[in-house]
Amino acid sequence: MSTADAEPSRRVVDVGGVPMSALVAEAPRPRAVVVALHGGATSAAYFDAPNRPRLSLLRTGAALGFTVLALDRPGYGASAAHPDRTATAEARTRLAFGAVDGLLASRPRGAGVFLMAHSLGCELALRMAASGRGGELLGLEISGTGRHYQPRAAQLLGSRLRDASPPGPAGTVRDLVWGGAHLYPEGIAGEAGILVPGAAHEGTAVRSWPRDFPALAARVRIPVRYTVAEHEGVWRAGRAGLAEVAAMFTSSPRVETGEQAGGHNLSLGLSARAYHLRVLAFAEECALARERQSAGPAEEDANAEPAIPP
């Protein structure tokens, strides 16, 4: 299957009376399922790079044997009309898990579900991974977030990151998020469906993130990979930024970090395919680890290389 063949479909599932929507690209016998959570003021289309199949996470993942489910986070897509049902972090976490369960239903999951999130989507991803069901997940990839803002971003962002417009003049929030036009395909931010109005609850999420991020990270007990863009305009980048985020995942059995060529919106940049391949490689490693864990010591010993006599 090529990236052009893996055509995503839009699906909606009812979760306790709240419609939850997603873009789904299925592999017939998936290695695992990748659930992708978009950032603020974007939609699930963020992971499909309209008219640019090589840059699409959905198409690349399906072509390589992963089912990919890009969820419209609670407050977006079909659930946008139910702000009262998506107002609390607990409700959004329940809705997200319910949407994954409903959309996959009896469909094969392979080794399990791997979670990937960008920017404000990391708030939901961390809550899912830190919840009582977090141990079910194979692993977690987060990007477009951090422990500390860059100085310029701290001045401009204010109480919430809510500007959903395409790139504008330097010195705006749009410039922070979409800065570096050479890093993106021409016109990508203006593609229909990518940029949408932000959800009302996200102002609160942004204000509480400096407190919530360390507390949630410490409760995550699955493998974690954190990626920062080389030209990240919002969060502290480089070795310092990578190290301070990695240090918060004190209960994770494995924490990887990496810098990726590109800007804040890695899944829409010219380097999106390279980024997605690295994420899928990590998901594959997490799937292997889960299979070894499930096999138990007896089967591992049976498959071990024979000892070489002295």
Side-chain angles (χ1 to χ4, degrees):
M1 182 188 298
S2 70
T3 53
D5 295 330
E7 186 68 30
S9 62
R10 179 173 170 79
R11 299 180 188 169
V12 179
V13 65
D14 182 275
V15 182
V18 178
M20 293 291 295
S21 53
L23 289 174
V24 183
E26 289 188 86
R29 293 180 296 278
R31 182 70 179 100
V33 176
V34 176
V35 173
L37 304 174
H38 62 85
T42 59
S43 73
Y46 174 85
F47 292 107
D48 193 35
N51 303 312
R52 298 164 180 86
R54 279 182 53 82
L55 304 184
S56 166
L57 170 70
L58 285 142
R59 297 165 196 265
T60 298
L64 293 176
F66 292 85
T67 286
V68 184
L69 189 163
L71 188 68
D72 283 317
R73 288 191 292 113
Y76 287 86
S79 67
H82 301 267
D84 56 321
R85 301 288 301 276
T86 62
T88 68
E90 293 75 17
R92 295 191 295 275
T93 303
R94 288 195 302 271
L95 286 168
F97 273 120
V100 173
D101 292 340
L103 289 162
L104 293 175
S106 59
R107 290 178 169 85
R109 302 187 180 200
V113 173
F114 179 90
L115 198 58
M116 173 184 179
H118 173 254
S119 197
L120 273 170
C122 295
E123 186 258 351
L124 176 58
L126 264 292
R127 293 189 185 282
M128 294 174 71
S131 74
R133 293 190 59 181
E136 301 173 13
L137 301 169
L138 294 176
L140 171 67
E141 156 74 20
I142 56 174
S143 67
T145 191
R147 185 72 179 87
H148 295 103
Y149 288 124
Q150 295 212 29
R152 182 161 161 260
Q155 295 176 351
L156 291 173
L157 284 171
S159 63
R160 60 176 294 190
L161 199 161
R162 60 181 178 269
D163 195 328
S165 302
T172 67
V173 171
R174 292 173 296 184
D175 183 56
L176 291 177
V177 176
W178 288 98
H182 65 287
L183 302 172
Y184 300 95
E186 185 176 357
I188 188 72
E191 292 283 359
I194 291 181
L195 298 177
V196 299
H201 67 262
E202 290 184 334
T204 300
V206 168
R207 287 191 294 271
S208 64
W209 189 237
R211 178 189 70 247
D212 292 346
F213 192 6
L216 292 168
R219 290 160 47 195
V220 173
R221 299 182 180 276
I222 56 175
V224 175
R225 184 175 187 270
Y226 169 59
T227 304
V228 68
E230 179 185 8
H231 299 284
E232 173 63 58
V234 180
W235 300 99
R236 182 181 293 172
R239 293 182 180 179
L242 292 169
E244 63 189 14
V245 170
M248 294 189 291
F249 289 92
T250 53
S251 299
S252 173
R254 176 184 178 188
V255 181
E256 286 193 4
T257 62
E259 185 177 80
Q260 175 65 52
H264 178 80
N265 292 299
L266 285 173
S267 287
L268 291 174
L270 293 170
S271 63
R273 184 172 177 83
Y275 171 55
H276 296 152
L277 290 173
R278 289 187 172 97
V279 174
L280 293 170
F282 184 67
E284 170 67 21
E285 291 175 353
C286 291
L288 286 170
R290 180 60 57 86
E291 288 173 342
R292 287 195 299 268
Q293 184 181 36
S294 299
E299 186 171 332
E300 287 188 4
D301 290 344
N303 294 328
E305 292 289 335
I308 299 175

